[in-house]
Amino acid sequence: MMGMLTFFILSSAWGAWRKPWRRVDPYPKMGSFFTTFYDVPNESDYSKDQTAQIKNMQGEVIASVNASFKKDLDVEGTGILRSGTTVNYAGRVDDEIRYRVSSAKWGWGVGQCALKPYHTIAVDPNIIPLGSLVYIPAIKGAVLPDGTVHDGFFYADDIGSRILHRHVDLFAQEGENSYQIYEKVGINTGTYVDIYKVKDPDPQGCQSKPPTYLTPRSQKWAASYVQGLVNLADEYAALGQTDQLHSALDKIHSTQGWWHLEGNEPSDEAVATSLEIQARSEIAARATEGDGSSLDSLEMVRYDREFNGDSLSPGEVVLTFDDGPHPRYSPVIHQTLKEGGAQAAFFEVGEMVGYHPELTKAYAQEGWVIGNHSFDHPDLTKLSDADVAAQINKTQEAIQKALGGPDDFNDYFQTFFARFFSFPRKLFAPEFLRSPYGARDQRTMDIITGTHVGQSIIDGKTQDDTFSHIMWDIDSLDWQDHSPASIEDRVFKQLEANNRRGVILMHDIHPQSALAFQLILPRLQKEGYKLVSLYDMVLEYQKKVEENLDDMNMTETRP
């Protein structure tokens, strides 16, 4: 009896001692989040040529720097100059990114929050409140550069215009090599991690304090500026003035709603970002309801050498992505396509190709179609003939440069020897174009379809090739909708309404697009859809046209 009592007491004591350790994650779960990384580039890692300038909000030159460093700085928002000075994003003036000198070694997040290597994350404040302390168990145990072990805790002290919904951007340290700390524990771009809430924000925390270079007046102007745009959008939509509505949308897109306000004062980015996101969503909703931002209200005129999914059979779809390449989200879509054994067409903006030519080349090497989507995404119908041609040709040149061609000899070589041998399609000659917003008229279509893009051999004869214009049937509206599940639902509802076929329009520059596509592709495959290449769709359309013409000729000559 004494032995049984002793056993019971010892068992109870053991259970009481070990119970607190049985729970691995003792905090409330906030959900599963999509991850990307960001870092601080150091000018010392680049060559010493100084062909670019970093300016402050007043237009004064802070430093002359290497152009590649400046490009990376513009992406990351914070960088370290060769002198050791840290510069931080301050805002934009006339669409030029401007900077300020930072007293924090790694730069500032929101408010007066200094970025902490491997302990700061950028978040969507609507999902994770700024100033929150969170726990990411997947990163606990990672060995940091100083030899210490990561405790899994992060501070939500930063934001980003592309960090939306259930997406977090993990701050590393200096240069992309610093991402290895995360990669060694299995966290890569596009990985989902579980996040737990440890502590709510302190109302008096660093995130609540405006940076020392800001004034309350500039914050007030940020709010009134963005609200003013929303009010204008209401008026324009009510009056049916779609051109002015487009201008309001373009203006907020180019200004982000927070810089170059009255007196050239920068405004509080943390405050204005949330306002800008609100305003953009509201204006975008009005644009979709009131004008050509929606395919339903585009002028449904079929132009010569223009194609959509009319020639597809039920169950066939073509995947297309616009506006890239983007350094963070395009690789995620790339990986999703590769893992799914799928193919797609990418209509790329020339300016973005110039920034990230390696991504364009990677797509082409997969055998995916690269299309022309203008140089900086204007409405072509509002440009002169010369400017339309320049938009097309500058983009063509950027893509050709990214793909390593063409040169006159190589072009002649392939054209001449194609008479005797079969060559793969030339990587450096995009043959398809999609106009921004789908906006086109007879004048711009004449310029597009009259633009020479190369030569091909048909039945042993050389002929000049010109652009084909590609439209879409299924509009995901992923630029507007921040919910991946909602985007997925919209795509499949439209497919059902369109006889389960069509060209699908998405974008590879938004986090929600990358997340939504990870839902859409496997569902397409599970439901038995056939993924058709853009080339095959156009060839099938031309084949059907030729068959119809043959039938017409037979009818006319029949006695």
Side-chain angles (χ1 to χ4, degrees), residues 280-434:
R280 184 193 291 273
S281 298
E282 292 185 36
I283 292 177
R286 289 157 175 74
T288 303
E289 292 166 4
D291 63 21
S293 296
S294 167
L295 180 63
D296 291 337
S297 57
L298 286 173
E299 186 184 7
M300 297 305 294
V301 176
R302 174 59 60 81
Y303 294 94
D304 186 37
R305 294 194 60 78
E306 180 172 271
F307 304 91
N308 62 355
D310 286 351
S311 64
L312 296 172
S313 300
E316 293 184 337
V317 297
V318 175
L319 298 171
T320 67
F321 294 88
D322 285 9
D323 295 355
H326 188 282
R328 292 184 182 172
Y329 309 121
S330 296
V332 178
I333 290 170
H334 184 170
Q335 188 63 30
T336 303
L337 284 166
K338 287 189 68 174
E339 290 175 355
Q343 54 192 318
F346 292 85
F347 289 91
E348 298 192 332
V349 173
E351 189 173 32
M352 296 295 287
V353 174
Y355 287 139
H356 309 289
E358 71 285 354
L359 297 178
T360 300
K361 188 169 186 178
Y363 295 158
Q365 289 174 335
E366 293 289 344
W368 302 336
V369 174
I370 303 297
N372 188 315
H373 195 48
S374 82
F375 191 77
D376 53 14
H377 211 272
D379 182 339
L380 297 182
T381 63
K382 293 178 169 53
L383 302 183
S384 68
D385 290 3
D387 287 342
V388 171
Q391 285 283 332
I392 296 171
N393 293 330
K394 284 174 66 178
T395 304
Q396 201 75 345
E397 290 167 6
I399 293 173
Q400 290 169 348
K401 184 176 180 181
L403 301 183
D407 58 66
D408 291 340
F409 175 76
N410 191 36
D411 199 23
Y412 171 79
F413 180 87
Q414 287 212 18
T415 301
F416 178 78
F417 283 97
R419 301 170 184 272
F420 311 105
F421 303 99
S422 176
F423 281 88
R425 204 175 274 275
K426 291 180 288 185
L427 289 180
F428 51 74
E431 302 172 33
F432 302 115
L433 184 144
R434 174 178 284 160

Side-chain angles (χ1 to χ4, degrees), residues 25-31 133-137 194-198:
D25 304 319
Y27 309 109
K29 186 175 179 179
M30 303 186 79
L133 178 64
V134 300
Y135 175 57
I136 306 179
D194 291 335
I195 296 183
Y196 299 79
K197 181 173 71 173
V198 177

Side-chain angles (χ1 to χ4, degrees), residues 19-81:
K19 189 173 182 179
W21 303 95
R22 294 176 65 188
R23 192 171 176 189
V24 177
D25 304 319
Y27 309 109
K29 186 175 179 179
M30 303 186 79
S32 184
F33 289 75
F34 174 86
T35 60
T36 50
F37 309 130
Y38 67 116
D39 63 276
V40 174
N42 192 317
E43 188 189 3
S44 298
D45 296 331
Y46 299 76
S47 63
K48 292 186 177 180
D49 61 285
Q50 299 177 331
T51 57
Q53 291 183 329
I54 297 174
K55 298 178 182 179
N56 63 18
M57 289 298 290
Q58 288 69 45
E60 300 164 340
V61 177
I62 296 175
S64 295
V65 297
N66 173 276
S68 296
F69 168 73
K70 176 63 164 56
K71 182 177 76 172
D72 291 342
L73 174 64
D74 288 347
V75 171
E76 304 297 347
T78 302
I80 300 175
L81 304 182

Side-chain angles (χ1 to χ4, degrees), residues 265-279:
E265 293 182 359
S267 60
D268 184 347
E269 183 173 346
V271 173
T273 294
S274 60
L275 288 169
E276 182 267 329
I277 290 171
Q278 267 186 327

Side-chain angles (χ1 to χ4, degrees), residues 10 31 107 115-116 126 151-152 187 242 261 284 307 314-315 328 338 341 377 386 409 446 476 485 522:
L10 290 174
L115 297 180
K116 305 175 185 69
N126 296 314
D151 56 10
I187 310 298
T242 56
L261 303 178
F307 304 91
R328 292 184 182 172
K338 287 189 68 174
H377 211 272
F409 175 76
D446 287 344
S476 68

